[in-house]
Amino acid sequence: MDLKSIIDTRRREEPDLFLFITVFLMVGMGLAMSYSASANYALNTFNDPFYFLKRQFIWCVVGFAALLLFQQIDYRIYIRHTRVMLIVCFVLLIAVFIPGIGKSVKGSMRWIGFGIISLQPSEIAKIVVVMYLAKVFSSEDDGVANHVIQLLIPMLVVGVMFMIILMQPNFGTGIDILAVSVMILFVSGFPIVYILTLFILSIPMFYLLIYQVGYRRNRLLAYIDPWKDRFGIGYHIVQSFIAFKKGGLLGTGLGYGTQKLKRLPEPHTDFIFAVIAEEAGMLGTVFVLIIFGVFFWRGMIVSLNAPDEFGRLLSVGITLLIVVQAFINIGVVSGSLPTTGIPLPFISYGGSSLVANMIAVGILMNISKYREVVPEELKLTEGVWK
């Protein structure tokens, strides 16, 4: 008889403090850069240069409270509730299109409004999708038929969620979910031929969704040659290049950047990395890359030490959600990827994104508390029964 089916054979330890410090540094940097990037706009618009800083600070407090709360919740609880959470996410994602409930900002229907508070359901949906995939792919079904069913149903769920998010439109978040879903497939040990087949079949869909949609096609053309129309479709990325050039090695100094003054689009959110490049220079951008690299390293350590397959896949998924999002944002701002709107985790201004990421880190830190008990320790002692 498998002892795990009778008692909890995990050994409990302290959470990963290194991971917490890494996130704390990123959030602190985000506060400083959000203020620098938004102060002038806030002064002109709201007559208060600290308008965005005060709100981001409140979200930081809420985020850290959420992190500490979810750090205390045993991650195995989510196995029993993934389907319910998935249904709730679908309802919330659809609710953004309902007049009176959904909130439109600059032509995008991504938020649900509750008075002065706005919720972006797609941020929570990312975490729930990872939980769902970790649960499905941690089961031990054998045989080709089971493999096919185990692949098609989750991919159908992810595909439907991707299409709903795309309709908002929120292409960056949708791509983040798709990329991480495929990576979880790979890590879970699915035959590579299935993954390649899935990729090949998706090519026509992406052609229709990208090249046949006017503004996305323009963004792709701007990515290929932004200087061809530097005052039109290539304007934003050219302004980002100029920010990198002005920053040089050491930067102009915190608060002394000029590209954020009506040149860069959304300087305190999607293009905050360009503000960092100008004001902190190449050293600042390298620091950001290093700190996300450290986050990835600690997340993989948590995954390797996870006591079960669900914990391993969940920790991999959460780590990749944040790192892939950072990769997309940095790639867009540096001109390495076509333009799409997606914030830089922990650093860009925004409450929903920050709190959702802090919840994800709280779950990751909870997983880091547990280790598998080695065979010689499997004795009916007080420590095992706890």
Side-chain angles (χ1 to χ4, degrees):
M1 180 180 292
D2 186 3
L3 190 60
K4 295 180 183 179
S5 64
I6 304 175
I7 62 174
D8 189 349
T9 61
R10 297 173 299 173
R11 183 176 67 244
R12 186 163 180 160
E13 298 179 354
E14 293 299 317
D16 193 325
L17 183 61
F18 207 156
L19 184 64
F20 179 83
I21 293 173
T22 302
V23 172
F24 185 84
L25 288 174
M26 286 192 283
V27 172
M29 185 177 189
L31 277 174
M33 296 311 304
S34 292
Y35 169 69
S36 177
S38 65
N40 185 267
Y41 173 73
L43 179 63
N44 293 332
T45 306
F46 303 102
N47 200 31
D48 179 8
F50 303 102
Y51 179 85
F52 292 104
L53 176 64
K54 289 185 289 188
R55 280 156 178 74
Q56 189 71 353
F57 180 78
I58 292 172
W59 285 119
C60 285
V61 173
V62 174
F64 275 111
L67 185 153
L68 295 175
L69 173 63
F70 279 85
Q71 179 188 310
Q72 300 300 320
I73 301 174
D74 190 339
Y75 68 91
R76 285 188 176 180
I77 290 177
Y78 306 122
I79 297 178
R80 300 195 298 268
H81 305 292
T82 50
R83 291 182 180 177
V84 174
M85 291 189 292
L86 200 61
I87 293 172
V88 171
C89 282
F90 274 113
V91 171
L92 291 176
L93 287 171
I94 294 172
V96 302
F97 301 106
I98 300 176
I101 298 177
K103 182 178 178 182
S104 178
V105 179
K106 296 183 178 180
S108 297
M109 297 292 295
R110 304 179 186 178
W111 292 266
I112 295 176
F114 301 98
I116 61 173
I117 299 176
S118 297
L119 170 68
Q120 192 171 356
S122 59
E123 293 293 336
I124 302 298
K126 293 190 300 184
I127 303 174
V128 174
V129 163
V130 168
M131 289 180 179
Y132 170 70
L133 295 179
K135 174 187 175 180
V136 172
F137 296 143
S138 61
S139 62
E140 298 180 354
D141 292 329
D142 296 321
V144 175
N146 284 333
H147 272 313
V148 173
I149 294 173
Q150 194 182 18
L151 173 64
L152 291 181
I153 294 178
M155 289 301 100
L156 178 63
V157 171
V158 173
V160 171
M161 182 169 289
F162 171 74
M163 294 303 298
I164 295 175
I165 292 175
L166 201 66
M167 291 167 61
Q168 296 180 354
N170 192 352
F171 190 71
T173 299
I175 288 296
D176 189 21
I177 291 176
L178 282 185
V180 172
S181 299
V182 172
M183 292 177 188
I184 292 176
L185 266 178
F186 177 76
V187 172
S188 66
F190 255 84
I192 192 67
V193 65
Y194 293 164
I195 301 175
L196 289 175
T197 302
L198 194 66
F199 175 76
I200 294 171
L201 292 176
S202 66
I203 292 176
M205 180 191 71
F206 277 100
Y207 173 78
L208 293 174
L209 293 177
I210 297 176
Y211 202 74
Q212 293 300 312
V213 178
Y215 77 93
R216 294 195 186 111
R217 182 174 64 249
N218 289 338
R219 289 179 175 182
L220 182 61
L221 294 175
Y223 163 71
I224 295 172
D225 186 6
W227 299 98
K228 185 177 181 179
D229 188 10
R230 60 174 299 183
F231 297 107
I233 60 174
Y235 179 79
H236 291 160
I237 192 61
V238 168
Q239 295 305 312
S240 184
F241 290 159
I242 294 173
F244 277 82
K245 180 181 178 180
K246 286 183 176 180
L249 179 63
L250 300 177
T252 59
L254 185 65
Y256 289 95
T258 57
Q259 288 301 103
K260 62 192 178 187
L261 305 177
K262 298 183 179 180
R263 293 184 177 92
L264 284 171
E266 309 295 339
H268 56 302
T269 55
D270 297 348
F271 274 76
I272 198 168
F273 189 70
V275 178
I276 295 173
E278 183 179 4
E279 298 187 351
M282 188 179 72
L283 291 182
T285 60
V286 169
F287 175 78
V288 173
L289 294 174
I290 289 174
I291 204 165
F292 275 108
V294 171
F295 181 88
F296 176 77
W297 166 53
R298 296 314 303 177
M300 292 301 102
I301 292 295
V302 172
S303 177
L304 289 172
N305 293 328
D308 52 49
E309 187 68 3
F310 176 72
R312 185 176 75 91
L313 293 179
L314 181 56
S315 53
V316 166
I318 287 174
T319 302
L320 291 175
L321 268 181
I322 293 172
V323 172
V324 170
Q325 181 175 332
F327 173 81
I328 294 174
N329 177 274
I330 293 171
V332 167
V333 174
S334 63
S336 304
L337 294 173
T339 302
T340 184
I342 190 169
L344 186 59
F346 306 112
I347 297 177
S348 290
Y349 173 83
S352 292
S353 176
L354 179 61
V355 174
N357 286 330
M358 297 293 263
I359 290 173
V361 173
I363 297 170
L364 190 60
M365 291 187 66
N366 179 264
I367 300 173
S368 74
K369 288 182 178 182
Y370 297 98
R371 300 289 186 275
E372 182 62 84
V373 176
V374 294
E376 57 266 23
E377 293 177 307
L378 292 179
K379 300 176 182 179
L380 299 183
T381 63
E382 183 180 356
V384 173
W385 286 100
K386 285 184 177 178

